[in-house]
C-alpha cells in the first residue's frame, strides 16, 4: 500500500474514524465500518452537501427513495445489460479475478499464470424479495441512487410545483459488485452517493450552460471545504469511456497518494433515463412549459459524488506531519507531530475542553463550560495526561480549538483558547465563549 495512504488508514483505525468490517472474523470483502469520529466527519460532509444543494437554493429539492425498487427500473435504465458490466478475466492457475482494463500485461499479476478470455460481468447486486428464491422474486440493490430520483420526478414536480430548470437531490447507499475493490474506502461494493439531477430543456446551448455551471459549482464546493486547488482537476471522458447513459462526462479528480482519480462525475444524461422509463412503464413523462407551451422530455445534467471518496480526499489533503514537532509555549516536544488541518465545518470535534490539572476546583468549572458548549457543538472533555499531549491528541483528529481552564480562570473568569493551525493562544471571557465560537465556527 502506498506509504501515505497507509498512514491515513492507520490514523483512521487508531483514532476511531474507520475500521475494517467484521474485523473479528478477519474482515469482509472490503467492507468498512465508521467509528464515532468517522461518522461525524461523514455526517459533516453530507450536511454541507445537502445545505449547498437544497437549503441555500430555490431550485433544488431533496428526497430519500427506497434502496430496493422494482427490477423493471433496472431493465429500463440499462443496468442489467452490457452497459453496466466490466470485462472480467480469471487466472487459470490461481483463479484470482481481475478487471481486464486494469491489467497492463496478459499474465496474472499475482502468479504470472495464463488468463482466461474476458467475459462481461454485471455489477448489479442481486437479492430476493420474500421467502422464495426464484426469478420472480429477484431484484437488485440499487447500483446508483439517481434511479430513485427518476421514479419520483413526476410526483415531485407536481407536488412541489417545480419549473424547469430544477433539481432533485438525494444522499444514500448504492451497491456494485465491483471486481476489484481497492484503495481502502475509495472503491468498495457498498458505498454512499450524493447525487443531484438537474432537469433542463433539451436546448443545446442551455444544456452546455448548465453543464459548465455545475462543473464549477462542484469544484468550488471541494475547494471551499479546504481541498488544495492544485490537487483538483477536471478530466473529460473520451467517447469510448462514456457510460451507457451519458452524452458527455467530466470527472472531478483528486490527486490521491496513488495518482489522480475520480471523486465525482458530472454527466449529461440527455433524455436517456426519462425516455426509457416512459417507454417501459407506459407513463407520460413529458414536461409542458407553461410560458412557451412547448412539450418535451427534460434532459438531465447530473452531479454524482461519493461520500467515502470525498472523506478520503479531505483526510489526505488535511494530513500533515511535522518532524520534531511544533514549538509550543507549554511544553518542549521533539516527537513527530500529526496535525489534521480539516476545515472547521468538517472537523468531527469542534472544541476540546481541558482542565490544566485534575484538581476538583478546576474540574468543576471546566465541566460547567463543557456542558454549556456541547449544547451547540460536538465538544470533547479530556483531563488525562499533560496539556501538551492533550493538544497533540486533538491536533491529530483535527479539532480546531482547545480551551484550557487554569487556576487564574477561577479568579478572572477567563480561559485560554488555542488555535489548531496557528497555535495562537487568546484569553477569552467565559461569558463570551458562545459568541466567540459562533464567529469562529459558523
Ligand atoms: N449516477 C451516476 C453514477 O453513479 P459513477 O461515475 O458511476 O456515476 C459516481 O459514480 C460517484 O460515485 C463516483 O465519482 C464515486 O465518487 C462514487 N462511486 C462509484 N462507485 C464507487 C465505489 N465502488 N466505491 C466508492 N464510491 C463509488
Amino acid at each position: 500500500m502506498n506509504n501515505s495512504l497507509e498512514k491515513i488508514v492507520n490514523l483512521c483505525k487508531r483514532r476511531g474514524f474507520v475500521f475494517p468490517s467484521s474485523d473479528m472474523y478477519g474482515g469482509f470483502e472490503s467492507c468498512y465500518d465508521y467509528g464515532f469520529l468517522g461518522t461525524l466527519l461523514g455526517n459533516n460532509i453530507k450536511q454541507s452537501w445537502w445545505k449547498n444543494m437544497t437549503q441555500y437554493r430555490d431550485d433544488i429539492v431533496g428526497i430519500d427513495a427506497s434502496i430496493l425498487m422494482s427490477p423493471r427500473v433496472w431493465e429500463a435504465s440499462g443496468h442489467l445489460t452490457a452497459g453496466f458490466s466490466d470485462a472480467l478475466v480469471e487466472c487459470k492457475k490461481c483463479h484470482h479475478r481481475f478487471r481486464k482494463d486494469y491489467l497492463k500485461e496478459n499474465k496474472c499479476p499475482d502468479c504470472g499464470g495464463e488468463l482466461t478470455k474476458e467475459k462481461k460481468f454485471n455489477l448489479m447486486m442481486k437479492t430476493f424479495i420474500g421467502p422464495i428464491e426464484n426469478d420472480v422474486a429477484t431484484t437488485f440493490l440499487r447500483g446508483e441512487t439517481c434511479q430513485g430520483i427518476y421514479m419520483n420526478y413526476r410526483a415531485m414536480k407536481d407536488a412541489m410545483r417545480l419549473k424547469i430548470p430544477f433539481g432533485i437531490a438525494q444522499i444514500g447507499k448504492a451497491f456494485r459488485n465491483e471486481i476489484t475493490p481497492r484503495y481502502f474506502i475509495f472503491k468498495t461494493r457498498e458505498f454512499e452517493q450524493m447525487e443531484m439531477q438537474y432537469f433542463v430543456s433539451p436546448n443545446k446551448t442551455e444544456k452546455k450552460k448548465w453543464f459548465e455551471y455545475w462543473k464549477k459549482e462542484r469544484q468550488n464546493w471541494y475547494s471551499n471545504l479546504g481541498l488544495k486547488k492544485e490537487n483538483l482537476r477536471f478530466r473529460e471522458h473520451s467517447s469510448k469511456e462514456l457510460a451507457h447513459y451519458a452524452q458527455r462526462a467530466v470527472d472531478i479528480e483528486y490527486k490521491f497518494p496513488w495518482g489522480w482519480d475520480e471523486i465525482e462525475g458530472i454527466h449529461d444524461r440527455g433524455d436517456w433515463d426519462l425516455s426509457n422509463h416512459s417507454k417501459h412503464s407506459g407513463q407520460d413523462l413529458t414536461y409542458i412549459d407553461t410560458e412557451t407551451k412547448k412539450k418535451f422530455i427534460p434532459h438531465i445534467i447530473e452531479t454524482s459524488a461519493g461520500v467515502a471518496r470525498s472523506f478520503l480526499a479531505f483526510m489526505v489533503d488535511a494530513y500533515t506531519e511535522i518532524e520534531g514537532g511544533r514549538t509550543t509555549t507549554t511544553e518542549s516536544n521533539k516527537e513527530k507531530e500529526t496535525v489534521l488541518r480539516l476545515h472547521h465545518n468538517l472537523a468531527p470535534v469542534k472544541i476540546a475542553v481541558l482542565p490544566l490539572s485534575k484538581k476538583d476546583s478546576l474540574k468543576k468549572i471546566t465541566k460547567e463550560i463543557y456542558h454549556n458548549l456541547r449544547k451547540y457543538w460536538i465538544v470533547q472533555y479530556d483531563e488525562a495526561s499533560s496539556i501538551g499531549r492533550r493538544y497533540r491528541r486533538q491536533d491529530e483528529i483535527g479539532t480546531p480549538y482547545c480551551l484550557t481552564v487554569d487556576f487564574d480562570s477561577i479568579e478572572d473568569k477567563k480561559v485560554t483558547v488555542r488555535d489548531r493551525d496557528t497555535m495562537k493562544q487568546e484569553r477569552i471571557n467565559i461569558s463570551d465563549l458562545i459568541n466567540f465560537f459562533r464567529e469562529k465556527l459558523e
Side-chain angles (χ1 to χ4, degrees):
M1 199 187 294
N2 183 296
N3 193 27
S4 41
L5 181 61
E6 198 166 338
K7 284 180 182 161
I8 302 289
V9 176
N10 287 341
L11 174 72
C12 281
K13 191 165 180 184
R14 188 160 35 85
R15 299 307 311 272
F17 282 85
V18 185
F19 305 112
S21 164
S22 320
D23 206 16
M24 263 191 259
Y25 295 98
F28 184 66
E29 299 291 342
S30 87
C31 292
Y32 291 94
D33 298 339
Y34 289 79
F36 187 40
L37 298 185
T39 306
L40 289 169
L41 173 55
N43 285 347
N44 292 341
I45 292 170
K46 288 184 271 183
Q47 195 180 56
S48 167
W49 185 90
W50 187 257
K51 277 190 177 171
N52 270 269
M53 285 305 205
T54 63
Q55 188 175 328
Y56 301 158
R57 301 191 65 104
D58 297 326
D59 55 348
I60 306 183
V61 293
I63 64 160
D64 186 9
S66 167
I67 289 178
L68 295 170
M69 287 185 268
S70 163
R72 295 184 61 200
V73 172
W74 304 108
E75 262 166 52
S77 68
H79 282 77
L80 299 185
T81 49
F84 200 59
S85 303
D86 284 336
L88 171 97
V89 286
E90 187 173 322
C91 173
K92 289 181 183 170
K93 209 160 127 197
C94 70
H95 299 289
H96 288 175
R97 292 173 161 199
F98 307 94
R99 251 181 81 160
K100 177 82 167 64
D101 54 336
Y102 285 175
L103 296 179
K104 289 199 182 85
E105 284 163 20
N106 236 358
K107 287 267 165 201
C108 171
D110 290 349
C111 76
E114 196 190 335
L115 299 172
T116 58
K117 269 201 185 145
E118 68 179 66
K119 59 177 178 207
K120 286 283 179 196
F121 176 77
N122 190 269
L123 302 183
M124 292 298 290
M125 258 201 207
K126 241 185 217 167
T127 188
F128 300 97
I129 294 283
I132 301 165
E133 294 187 9
N134 60 16
D135 283 354
V136 183
T138 302
T139 191
F140 304 89
L141 301 182
R142 63 186 174 194
E144 54 173 5
T145 56
C146 58
Q147 293 301 327
I149 293 181
Y150 309 139
M151 290 303 103
N152 290 285
Y153 152 77
R154 201 170 63 176
M156 286 298 285
K157 171 177 73 63
D158 295 344
M160 306 295 289
R161 301 195 296 144
L162 302 169
K163 288 209 162 57
I164 271 174
F166 70 85
I168 303 181
Q170 180 177 216
I171 301 174
K173 292 251 172 153
F175 302 82
R176 292 180 194 175
N177 221 347
E178 301 282 4
I179 300 169
T180 41
R182 54 188 182 159
Y183 302 136
F184 188 37
I185 54 173
F186 179 83
K187 186 171 203 166
T188 50
R189 296 190 173 107
E190 170 183 343
F191 54 96
E192 221 170 348
Q193 290 188 312
M194 305 181 282
E195 296 204 305
M196 193 281 299
Q197 310 298 305
Y198 206 64
F199 298 88
V200 298
S201 102
N203 177 291
K204 271 194 184 141
T205 324
E206 191 66 4
K207 271 173 56 170
K208 191 161 188 305
K209 180 183 91 184
W210 287 117
F211 196 95
E212 294 309 318
Y213 171 86
W214 282 113
K215 261 172 66 182
K216 264 203 210 97
E217 278 292 298
R218 294 303 306 141
Q219 191 188 41
N220 289 343
W221 182 76
Y222 291 104
S223 51
N224 290 340
L225 283 176
L227 287 195
K228 295 176 196 79
K229 287 214 164 86
E230 65 270 25
N231 291 338
L232 284 169
R233 72 173 190 192
F234 291 122
R235 191 181 69 81
E236 180 102 29
H237 282 214
S238 68
S239 55
K240 268 198 221 140
E241 270 179 283
L242 286 176
H244 65 281
Y245 52 73
Q247 294 183 359
R248 186 182 169 199
V250 168
D251 288 345
I252 299 179
E253 291 192 332
Y254 178 75
K255 200 174 183 184
F256 282 103
W258 60 89
W260 290 98
D261 221 331
E262 173 190 350
I263 48 174
E264 172 158 354
I266 317 292
H267 309 131
D268 174 353
R269 297 180 73 120
D271 65 347
W272 168 269
D273 301 279
L274 292 187
S275 286
N276 275 316
H277 286 307
S278 180
K279 219 184 292 164
H280 283 249
S281 67
Q283 304 274 326
D284 183 8
L285 297 178
T286 46
Y287 176 88
I288 304 170
D289 188 315
T290 46
E291 274 160 39
T292 63
K293 305 287 176 237
K294 275 192 184 149
K295 284 183 179 180
F296 53 85
I297 296 263
H299 281 220
I300 287 161
I301 307 297
E302 166 184 68
T303 69
S304 177
V307 178
R309 289 196 187 178
S310 313
F311 184 114
L312 192 55
F314 287 125
M315 288 293 278
V316 168
D317 221 70
Y319 187 89
T320 325
E321 277 181 354
I322 300 121
E323 287 300 335
R326 301 188 288 179
T327 336
T328 67
T329 50
T330 48
E331 199 178 88
S332 69
N333 164 42
K334 294 275 172 263
E335 291 170 24
K336 181 179 71 189
E337 272 184 42
T338 304
V339 184
L340 202 56
R341 297 185 194 275
L342 286 172
H343 189 281
H344 291 178
N345 290 358
L346 298 182
V349 176
K350 308 295 183 199
I351 309 159
V353 177
L354 320 168
L356 192 63
S357 99
K358 285 186 194 169
K359 290 239 164 63
D360 281 348
S361 55
L362 271 197
K363 266 167 91 165
K364 186 170 172 290
I365 157 171
T366 314
K367 282 271 169 105
E368 266 171 32
I369 294 170
Y370 166 60
H371 287 133
N372 201 18
L373 291 179
R374 74 175 185 187
K375 289 181 207 154
Y376 306 93
W377 298 284
I378 301 286
V379 183
Q380 249 183 22
Y381 175 88
D382 186 6
E383 59 177 34
S385 67
S386 74
I387 196 75
R389 284 220 167 275
R390 281 182 274 167
Y391 282 159
R392 288 197 287 285
R393 274 207 290 268
Q394 294 297 332
D395 289 344
E396 197 183 40
I397 61 166
T399 307
Y401 296 101
C402 284
L403 179 163
T404 308
V405 183
D406 55 31
F407 290 102
D408 288 343
S409 306
I410 299 169
E411 297 304 320
D412 68 4
K413 306 277 182 267
K414 288 182 180 179
V415 292
T416 303
V417 177
R418 170 192 178 267
D419 181 295
R420 175 195 70 201
D421 299 327
T422 62
M423 293 199 305
K424 220 180 105 205
Q425 306 203 355
E426 287 181 74
R427 289 293 280 180
I428 306 288
N429 283 321
I430 295 173
S431 58
D432 290 340
L433 280 174
I434 304 265
N435 283 338
F436 174 84
F437 285 122
R438 264 206 184 122
E439 213 158 276
K440 295 280 186 192
L441 293 168
E442 288 172 7

